[in-house]
Amino acid sequence: MKRGALAAWLSMLVFGATARAQTLSVNDQVSAGAGMTDNPGFRSDQVRAAQGTPGLDAFGNVGNVLTLGVAGAESSHHLSYTFGATRYLRQGGQSFMNHALQWTSMFQLSERLVLTLGAGVRYLATNAAQLQAEAMAGVFEARPSGNYRLFSLSAGQGLVWNISNQWGVKQGVSVTVPIPVGSSTLLERGVSGAVDLAVSRTWTVAAVRGTLRAGGARPFAHTDTMLPPEMATRRLPHFVEPLVGLNYLFTPTLSADAAGGVVFSRRDVGAPWHYGPAGSVGLTWNRLPGSAMVGAYRSATTSLWLPTILVTSGVRGSVGYQIGERQPLMLSAFGSYSVGRTVSSGDAVQRKAVHYVTGLGAAFSPTMRYDLRIVGGYFFALQKGSGQGELAAFNDVRQNVFSLGVSAGFPSDAPPF
C-alpha cells in the first residue's frame, strides 16, 4: 500500500469518512537517556530509615510520542500515544512503563465560536525519572510516597466565544477518575471535576477578566479496614472560587498578571463553609537571550492521585539563558514551594502536604534538523506529608536525580544544517 493511500485509510479509520477532504499529519518524537538517583522508588524517609538506604542507582529510559492529526477548514483532530519505559540497574522492581492515549478535537462552529473536546487515559507510577520529566515541564504536585501505580481517565470540554474584538467568554469542564492498581490500597478510588467560566475585556496593552471556578470530588466507599473510618465514608468535598484579574503589558518583553478573590470550601454537603483569600500574581520577562518568571498563588485544586480537593498556596519561579543561535545551548533553573490542605477533613492542619522542588537544566541543539536536542539536568524534591486520612500515602520524601538524554522529532521540515 502506498504512503498516501495508507494515510487516507488511517484518517478514515480514526476520524471518519469526512477526513478524505482534510489534511493528515503524522509526527513522532523519540527520546532516550540515562541517569542516577538516590531514591528510585520515591520511598518515604520512614521506610528508608527502617529498611536502610540502598544508595545510588543508575537507570536508563526510552520514550516515544506519536501524534496523528487531521485538519480541515472547520475542524481539527489529534490522537496521540505516549510511551515511556525506565529500567534500573540495581533495583529492577522499581522499573516501570508509562502509557498515555489522548484525543483532542476542535470545531469552528462559527466565525467567533470555537468548541474543544478531549478525552484521555493514562497509566503512570511514582518514579524518579517520571517526576523529573514532569518538573522540567513545569508540573509541581505532591504525590504518594512509594512505588504506586495508577490508571487515570479524563475528559474535558471547552468553549471560546469571541463576542467582539475586545470582549470574550471562555467556558470549560474537566473530569478525572483515578483508579489505583496493584497494591495501592492507600489511594482512594473516585471521581473529581471542575467547571470554569471567564469573561474578559482586552485593550492594546491590558486585559481584565472575571472568573468563576467550582469543583468537587466523590470518593467511592472503601473496603480496606486498615484505613481510617473517614476514608470508608462517602462524602462530597467541593469548592467555589470567584476571581477578578488583570493582565498588563509594560513592554513587548515584560508583562504582569494578577488576580484576587475568595475561595469557599467545605468537606461535605451540609457541612459549614470555610473561606479564605484566593488569587495569583506573576511577572514574566522574555527577551533573548534571557527569560525569567516568578509568581505566587492560592487556589483550590483537584488532585491527579486522589478524588479530593486541596487548597494550595505556593510560589514558583524560573530563569533561562540561551547561548548561540545556529546551535543554541539553553540553560535553565526552576524552583517551586507549595502547601496543600484538604477540605474534606475536619482537622485541616494535620491533613496537608508540603512540596518543594528545584532543578537545573541544559539543552543543546547541534542542528535544527529533526529538532535534535541533547538534554541534561539535576532535580531535587523534598516533600513533607501528613500521612493521615486521605493523605495516608503522602509521607516525607526526599530525592535527587541526575539525567542526560537525547531527543529527536520526525518528520523534519528544517534544512539539513
Side-chain angles (χ1 to χ4, degrees):
M1 183 180 293
K2 294 184 179 180
R3 183 175 180 178
L6 176 61
W9 180 81
L10 285 173
S11 63
M12 286 190 294
L13 178 66
V14 178
F15 302 109
T18 58
R20 277 179 287 187
Q22 298 177 331
T23 302
L24 174 71
S25 63
V26 180
N27 295 280
D28 194 29
Q29 188 81 20
V30 297
S31 61
M36 185 170 293
T37 179
D38 60 349
N39 190 1
F42 203 64
R43 297 189 304 168
S44 67
D45 293 347
Q46 297 90 329
V47 172
R48 298 179 74 188
Q51 300 180 357
T53 302
L56 294 175
D57 196 358
F59 63 86
N61 54 46
V62 295
N64 187 77
V65 181
L66 178 63
T67 303
L68 176 66
V70 173
E74 298 180 348
S75 66
S76 63
H77 315 273
H78 289 86
L79 182 67
S80 66
Y81 168 66
T82 303
F83 168 78
T86 300
R87 179 71 180 180
Y88 284 90
L89 184 63
R90 297 175 54 192
Q91 300 182 35
Q94 305 295 353
S95 302
F96 78 106
M97 289 189 295
N98 277 353
H99 304 270
L101 186 65
Q102 180 69 37
W103 157 69
T104 304
S105 288
M106 184 183 71
F107 303 90
Q108 189 80 38
L109 302 182
S110 69
E111 183 179 352
R112 297 185 178 274
L113 195 61
V114 178
L115 172 67
T116 302
L117 300 174
V121 57
R122 296 176 63 188
Y123 174 77
L124 67 162
T126 49
N127 183 277
Q130 178 70 16
L131 298 182
Q132 185 191 34
E134 292 181 1
M136 295 294 287
V139 179
F140 310 107
E141 182 184 19
R143 62 196 62 229
S145 60
N147 194 17
Y148 284 101
R149 286 170 166 79
L150 177 82
F151 273 109
S152 177
L153 308 177
S154 63
Q157 172 267 329
L159 190 66
V160 177
W161 179 24
N162 296 312
I163 303 175
S164 67
N165 293 334
Q166 293 80 33
W167 288 93
V169 177
K170 292 183 178 181
Q171 172 268 331
V173 177
S174 61
V175 178
T176 303
V177 181
I179 307 175
V181 297
S183 58
S184 305
T185 56
L186 290 181
L187 298 182
E188 291 186 274
R189 295 165 175 82
V191 59
S192 62
V195 178
D196 299 83
L197 180 65
V199 180
S200 63
R201 170 65 160 90
T202 61
W203 291 269
T204 304
V205 296
V208 295
R209 66 187 183 276
T211 63
L212 178 64
R213 299 179 58 243
R218 168 62 82 178
F220 300 152
H222 241 299
T223 58
D224 194 333
T225 58
M226 298 296 291
L227 296 175
E230 66 196 64
M231 294 183 65
T233 304
R234 296 180 65 88
R235 60 191 184 280
L236 183 62
H238 50 281
F239 72 91
V240 178
E241 187 178 282
L243 297 171
V244 176
L246 168 68
N247 181 275
Y248 191 83
L249 186 66
F250 294 102
T251 70
T253 60
L254 181 64
S255 64
D257 187 271
V262 183
V263 55
F264 301 91
S265 61
R266 58 180 179 176
R267 60 181 300 185
D268 205 348
V269 177
W273 285 96
H274 299 276
Y275 63 91
S280 62
V281 59
L283 192 65
T284 302
W285 175 75
N286 192 346
R287 182 179 181 181
L288 287 177
S291 63
M293 182 278 293
V294 63
Y297 62 94
R298 187 176 193 271
S299 178
T301 60
T302 57
S303 172
L304 171 66
W305 293 89
L306 291 171
T308 190
I309 303 299
L310 296 173
V311 178
T312 304
S313 304
V315 295
R316 62 182 57 178
S318 64
V319 294
Y321 190 81
Q322 176 178 315
I323 301 175
E325 295 184 3
R326 286 185 60 88
Q327 296 177 322
L329 172 63
M330 292 295 302
L331 305 177
S332 61
F334 61 87
S336 172
Y337 176 83
S338 63
V339 180
R341 292 180 170 86
T342 64
V343 304
S344 54
S345 173
D347 189 355
V349 176
Q350 292 186 357
R351 308 294 191 259
K352 69 179 182 180
V354 180
H355 194 226
Y356 166 72
V357 298
T358 185
L360 301 171
F364 176 60
S365 300
T367 172
M368 300 302 293
R369 189 170 176 82
Y370 299 115
D371 194 23
L372 182 64
R373 295 184 183 184
I374 301 172
V375 182
Y378 164 75
F379 165 75
F380 170 74
L382 175 64
Q383 177 175 296
K384 308 291 289 185
S386 65
Q388 302 179 35
E390 306 102 310
L391 301 182
F394 290 64
N395 293 290
D396 298 351
V397 185
R398 64 193 67 223
Q399 182 184 63
N400 292 273
V401 183
F402 297 88
S403 66
L404 180 65
V406 60
S407 65
F410 305 90
S412 174
D413 297 326
F417 290 96

